[in-house]
Amino acid sequence: MEAFDVLKKNECYIFYQNSELVLKLDNAEKIKANDFRSQDDIYIVDTNFNWTYVNTHEDSCGPYFYESS
């Protein structure tokens, strides 16, 4: 969560497992991990897919953050 919070974010996509809905945020600078804490199976990625943040439905797993180098 901390790694996601300090990441410089510009544009990103937000989507949910088992949903066709995809949201694009153009000004994502202020979003934080806690904004998505109550949402299950949510995936947030930058528009170039260089990083991914995932909050799962399992209480004992995640959230997960990965950034390619």
Side-chain angles (χ1 to χ4, degrees):
M1 292 175 68
E2 182 179 336
F4 178 75
D5 287 348
V6 300
L7 179 70
K8 184 173 181 174
K9 299 175 274 300
N10 295 314
E11 298 177 328
C12 66
Y13 297 119
I14 300 173
F15 55 98
Y16 296 87
Q17 184 172 324
N18 301 321
S19 174
E20 295 180 17
L21 178 67
V22 176
L23 305 171
K24 182 182 179 195
L25 295 181
D26 292 323
N27 299 305
E29 304 91 22
K30 295 182 181 180
I31 63 171
K32 302 290 182 192
N34 203 41
D35 297 334
F36 306 100
R37 192 70 181 145
S38 64
Q39 299 181 38
D40 294 337
D41 298 326
I42 186 169
Y43 302 81
I44 306 162
V45 299
D46 77 315
T47 55
N48 294 316
F49 291 84
N50 292 318
W51 56 260
T52 303
Y53 179 79
V54 179
N55 193 38
T56 68
H57 66 273
E58 295 98 349
D59 291 333
S60 61
C61 297
Y64 299 99
F65 177 75
Y66 175 79
E67 184 175 17
S68 63
S69 34

